[in-house]
Amino acid sequence: PGVVRGFCAECGTPLTYRHDSYGERIDLTIATLDDPGAFAPVDHIWMADAVAWDRPAHGLPQYAGLRPG
């Protein structure tokens, strides 16, 4: 409840995620873009759910769940 997910109509790949509590924000699956390298990350969210080897070491903020605010 309260979640809308968007998928590719041709192959079913997950593309977007929106939760009612997000307001106007929509999460986009960056790996689905033609050039995902064109968009640098600003932080890492949901690190509490990350596998043990997923520990970015480049100094960007990391949050256990959603980013504050």
Side-chain angles (χ1 to χ4, degrees):
V3 171
V4 176
R5 297 176 190 270
F7 299 89
C8 174
E10 291 189 29
C11 69
T13 296
L15 301 173
T16 61
Y17 175 90
R18 187 186 155 294
H19 192 280
D20 286 346
S21 67
Y22 286 9
E24 295 297 316
R25 190 182 85 214
I26 297 173
D27 290 344
L28 179 69
T29 306
I30 195 165
T32 64
L33 300 176
D34 289 338
D35 186 8
F39 301 91
V42 295
D43 61 20
H44 299 277
I45 59 173
W46 299 108
M47 293 305 294
D49 297 326
V51 293
W53 51 260
D54 184 11
R55 297 292 178 250
H58 46 65
L60 293 177
Q62 297 182 29
Y63 303 105
L66 287 174
R67 67 187 51 83

